[in-house]
Amino acid sequence: MEKVNISLIGVGRMGQFHLNVINQINSVNLTGIYDADEKHLNEISSKYNLNSFKSLDDAIDKCDAVIIASPTKFHFDIAKKSVQKGKHVLVEKPMTENFIQAEELEAIVKEKNIIFQVGHVERFNGAVQELHHIIENPYLIEARRLAPFTPRITDVGVVFDIMIHDLDIVTSLVKKPIIRFSASGKRIKTKNEDIASALLEFEGNTIATISASRVTQEKIRTLAISTDEAHFILDYATQDITIHRQAASQSKIKTSIGINYTQESIIERVFIHRDNPLKLEDEHFANCILGKDKKLVSIEDDVRTIKLTEDILNKIKETW
């Protein structure tokens, strides 16, 4: 098999992002699209001149693999049906609405021995991948993911919609068990939490603070990490990493106009090969099916992320 025949299920905002990158991937053949909204499905299929399936079963049956970009509340049922039919699955995050569904899905995936990938697109951000090579023994991590309000997501709150990205990345960087955590959050514009903050304490000396908002006027996506050697700042939007190190000796420097100053730190910038993270994610999915790549993350890790995310959300709800 030289190409993977993929059906795209759900062609809303996220589904159309997948459409934009799939055509750039040589190892993928898009067999067609499906959406529960028949009018919208016809509009998209006509706009992009794509085959459209009349039913969900038809979309699943006529492919090797599915990409699920439907609303979160449908993820479990669609993914379960696809896996039971022996299809490989890439499902957008969160993989399910809750931990119980995630556990059930994990058991079926292992039984069927198929490729199952969760769409944590930040894993494929070039700067995030570089961090995994250069970070050792972090003791303080500060993640901020803030965005202006948009009514596009209504079925989940900010914890499952936005914070889950940083929970996934932070736990993968620390690689140690969480011994305790606290969390708080508030409703601002919707029936679910729109702002949230979590404090995680890991085995050893690592503390992580994670803040998420979908009602902030400015879009901010940063990750700051302190180690004994340096302080690292990652900007997700630009895929830049800045490294701050204390100068070995605070040398006195005199400028040409006679002003003296002390060099207290050194700033380095890491060169990152930039590419579209979503394209890399879809390409990795196809290459895993073809046996060209090894899975980046196990389903066990994905299920643990869901469990942590759910625990944080339940902790927040205790204060409501």
Side-chain angles (χ1 to χ4, degrees):
M1 184 168 59
E2 295 181 357
K3 289 195 174 189
V4 180
N5 296 310
I6 290 180
S7 292
L8 176 61
I9 299 172
V11 285
R13 182 174 180 270
M14 199 65 215
Q16 289 180 63
F17 286 156
H18 282 283
L19 277 180
N20 290 335
V21 301
I22 282 174
N23 289 332
Q24 304 171 38
I25 303 172
N26 294 329
S27 54
V28 170
N29 173 51
L30 182 64
T31 57
I33 60 174
Y34 173 75
D35 196 283
D37 185 334
E38 186 176 351
K39 181 181 177 182
H40 180 65
L41 173 64
N42 291 335
E43 287 175 355
I44 299 300
S45 63
S46 176
K47 178 180 178 181
Y48 294 99
N49 192 27
L50 298 170
N51 174 51
S52 62
F53 296 110
K54 300 305 179 186
S55 70
L56 175 61
D57 283 316
D58 199 28
I60 296 171
D61 291 338
K62 295 180 179 178
C63 68
D64 305 313
V66 297
I67 293 177
I68 302 170
S70 63
T72 301
K73 62 184 178 180
F74 300 119
H75 284 185
F76 173 70
D77 289 336
I78 298 173
K80 181 179 178 180
K81 178 175 285 193
S82 301
V83 172
Q84 286 176 329
K85 292 190 174 192
K87 308 299 180 178
H88 306 288
V89 171
L90 190 164
V91 58
E92 272 303 325
K93 60 83 196 162
M95 63 184 285
T96 57
E97 289 184 284
N98 55 60
F99 174 61
I100 291 174
Q101 291 177 339
E103 272 195 316
E104 182 178 344
L105 206 50
E106 178 186 7
I108 304 170
V109 167
K110 289 180 176 178
E111 177 191 341
K112 294 293 184 179
N113 193 29
I114 51 90
I115 298 297
F116 187 92
Q117 183 176 319
V118 180
H120 286 287
V121 69
E122 293 288 23
R123 293 172 180 168
F124 296 87
N125 184 307
V128 172
Q129 293 185 335
E130 185 62 29
L131 273 185
H132 281 87
H133 298 301
I134 61 179
I135 294 295
E136 291 183 6
N137 302 317
Y139 56 77
L140 180 63
I141 301 177
E142 299 171 280
R144 301 173 71 212
R145 192 172 295 262
L146 318 175
F149 178 71
T150 171
R152 70 177 181 86
I153 299 291
T154 59
D155 58 337
V156 294
V158 74
V159 173
F160 267 89
D161 181 27
I162 294 178
M163 183 181 279
I164 192 172
H165 282 299
D166 292 307
L167 293 173
D168 176 66
I169 291 165
V170 168
T171 53
S172 69
L173 284 169
V174 178
K175 299 184 183 71
K176 292 181 180 178
I178 295 171
I179 56 175
R180 67 179 65 89
F181 72 90
S182 59
S184 60
K186 298 294 181 184
R187 303 182 187 98
I188 304 297
K189 289 181 176 289
T190 72
K191 64 180 181 180
N192 297 306
E193 78 289 348
D194 296 307
I195 59 172
S197 180
L199 173 64
L200 312 180
E201 295 183 51
F202 292 84
E203 190 176 277
N205 297 318
T206 308
I207 294 176
T209 60
I210 301 176
S211 301
S213 168
R214 57 184 184 186
V215 290
T216 298
Q217 299 301 317
E218 183 182 5
K219 190 171 185 177
I220 299 171
R221 293 180 293 158
T222 59
L223 183 67
I225 302 172
S226 294
T227 70
D228 286 334
E229 294 77 27
H231 181 67
F232 303 80
I233 300 175
L234 181 154
D235 187 317
Y236 288 102
T238 61
Q239 297 191 40
D240 286 329
I241 297 175
T242 305
I243 304 175
H244 298 256
R245 302 183 194 273
Q246 188 173 5
S249 61
Q250 296 182 3
S251 55
K252 300 289 184 179
I253 299 176
K254 186 173 183 178
T255 66
S256 59
I257 56 175
I259 299 176
N260 296 328
Y261 70 92
T262 302
Q263 183 178 11
E264 295 184 341
S265 64
I266 299 168
I267 299 176
E268 306 166 24
R269 286 181 172 82
V270 180
F271 173 78
I272 304 294
H273 175 70
R274 295 172 177 83
D275 203 341
N276 185 322
L278 186 62
K279 176 193 168 189
L280 295 176
E281 177 183 81
D282 288 354
E283 189 171 38
H284 175 72
F285 175 56
N287 286 340
C288 284
I289 295 169
L290 295 171
K292 296 178 180 179
D293 279 354
K294 183 179 178 181
K295 274 201 70 187
L296 196 64
V297 177
S298 69
I299 190 169
E300 291 89 351
D301 288 334
D302 286 320
V303 172
R304 278 193 289 269
T305 298
I306 287 288
K307 179 68 166 63
L308 175 60
T309 306
E310 184 175 88
D311 287 347
I312 287 172
L313 180 57
N314 288 337
K315 179 70 72 174
I316 289 171
K317 287 181 176 180
E318 288 176 4
T319 65
W320 289 357

